[in-house]
Amino acid sequence: MNREPMRHDWALDEIDALFALPFNDLLFRAQSLHRQVFDPNAIQVSTLLSIKTGACPEDCGYCSQSARNDTGLQRENLLPLAEVLQAAASAKSCGATRFCMGAAWRNPSDRNLDRVIEMIRGVRELGLETCVTLGMLNREQAGRLAEAGLDYYNHNLDTSPEFYGEVITTRTFRDRLQTLDHVREAGIRMCSGGILGMGENRRDRCSMLRELANLPHHPESVPLNLLVQVEGTPLFGTAKLDPFEFVRTIAVARILMPRSHLRLSAGRSDLSDEAQALCFLAGANSIFYGDRLLTTDNPQTGRDLGLFQRLGLRFEHITESAGATAAACCKSADSQG
Ligand code: SAM
Ligand code: DTB
Ligand code: SF4
């Protein structure tokens, strides 16, 4: 077990030097650290559901759900509780251990928060971990979510403070840090990461990782998304990031935050199986699993199960027999759909 104290004082040049290592040296270093802390063949799986879709007042340049982006997305009000619980039960039967609910809000109203709290309670009763991403939270709202037993709150920094203004103007980088403070102070585990491939440069990638690693506590879960380019968003048509640079970013994140789960998040549909395997080698140990992310496609479950089998990977926290049942159930669902 790695007993080194966690660092929260990374300098940009040190991070840049990690990025500049020869690829094999960087991956060896990240994988060596990874296996001191984690089972290198176990992957945590979360399933996403959009519980309120579209018509969002924010102007995030990557997002299909901003009212300012003409993406043709069908808006949907907050889903009824029964529909959410049905989706959660189905995710569980396919092997997911965490259910993440996302809402296209700048911040939740107190009335909507009451309804989300009912969802959190119901999903927990099904025996799943819970995560929600609802936008900005004040201190009191974070306290109410903690009281409801919420396990994780997802709120991403998205990019570096330097590049941030190119992507979002309706809320500041500081606002995001403040929500993370409220989440941490309420005792909820933090899920926070960002998006790569938005036209940022390597220095920005270093700077985003530095912000995450230098937080008072490393987020327990760090989602690294590869931009899903959605037609009608300002970022559609951005030059694609070299997959090796994405793998490097994961490896550097692993070195900076050795005890965090790193999630290979949105964008897996654009990565080859071989690139995903390199991401796991670099220290990614979590994925979004299920045919949909929030509004865009994710690899089909059958395909993921096949990849896991080829790589000898298994689902974290579920027994082998439960895994085999889930695999059979999802493969047959895929072949029918
Ligand atoms: N509205 C809330 C918010 O922004 O905080 C929660 C939902 S929002 C969709 C959650 C995160 O999903 C964003 O912060 C962003 O990092 C990620 N995301 C959204 N659209 C994406 C895209 N097209 N490609 C990659 N990641 C994306
Ligand atoms: C995160 O970092 N990625 C997820 C989750 N947190 C909420 C969202 C990805 C969204 C991808 C685009 C879409 O499907 O709308
Ligand atoms: Fe709204 Fe969240 Fe999309 Fe930004 S990322 S437009 S806040 S749903």
Side-chain angles (χ1 to χ4, degrees), residues 37-55:
V37 179
F38 292 104
D39 173 344
N41 303 309
I43 306 287
Q44 186 276 327
V45 290
S46 296
T47 292
L48 272 171
L49 177 70
S50 180
I51 56 170
K52 186 269 166 182
T53 306

Side-chain angles (χ1 to χ4, degrees), residues 33 115 145 147 149 151 156 159 221-222 254 259 291 296:
L33 256 181
R115 291 188 52 198
L145 289 170
E147 214 174 284
D151 296 294
N156 290 339
T159 188
S221 168
V222 179
R254 171 48 70 223
R259 295 202 192 131
D291 303 346
T296 64

Side-chain angles (χ1 to χ4, degrees), residues 95-117:
T97 53
R98 190 176 308 155
F99 194 64
C100 306
M101 296 168 269
W105 290 322
R106 173 177 164 82
N107 54 269
S109 67
D110 289 337
R111 228 173 101 225
N112 281 333
L113 199 69
D114 291 340
R115 291 188 52 198
V116 174
I117 284 174

Side-chain angles (χ1 to χ4, degrees), residues 209-231:
L209 292 183
R210 180 177 65 163
E211 291 291 329
L212 291 166
N214 289 354
L215 286 169
H217 292 276
H218 295 165
E220 285 80 0
S221 168
V222 179
L224 294 171
N225 298 275
L226 184 60
L227 174 69
V228 178
Q229 298 205 7
V230 179
E231 215 169 332

Side-chain angles (χ1 to χ4, degrees), residues 56-60 62-63 65-66 103-106 158 171 176:
C56 183
E58 301 291 275
D59 72 349
C60 310
Y62 48 77
C63 190
Q65 305 201 65
S66 167
W105 290 322
R106 173 177 164 82
D158 275 356
R171 75 170 79 155
R176 291 185 183 254

Side-chain angles (χ1 to χ4, degrees), residues 230-274:
V230 179
E231 215 169 332
T233 59
L235 292 185
F236 183 70
T238 303
K240 294 263 168 82
L241 186 69
D242 176 0
F244 290 129
E245 182 68 8
F246 186 65
V247 175
R248 278 182 187 278
T249 309
I250 291 179
V252 174
R254 171 48 70 223
I255 295 167
L256 265 44
M257 295 171 279
R259 295 202 192 131
S260 303
H261 273 80
L262 296 185
R263 183 169 310 117
L264 172 55
S265 304
R268 285 197 302 119
S269 296
D270 284 337
L271 290 173
S272 67
D273 288 351
E274 293 79 2

Side-chain angles (χ1 to χ4, degrees), residues 149-197:
L150 177 70
D151 296 294
Y152 291 82
Y153 193 81
N154 169 240
H155 198 66
N156 290 339
L157 294 183
D158 275 356
T159 188
S160 67
E162 297 78 17
F163 190 66
Y164 186 87
E166 304 287 317
V167 183
I168 301 145
T169 69
T170 49
R171 75 170 79 155
T172 64
F173 196 83
R174 185 124 278 292
D175 290 331
R176 291 185 183 254
L177 293 174
Q178 195 174 51
T179 292
L180 289 180
D181 277 348
H182 293 152
V183 169
R184 199 188 55 254
E185 283 163 11
I188 303 169
R189 280 174 275 190
M190 276 193 293
C191 173
S192 187
I195 310 178
L196 289 313

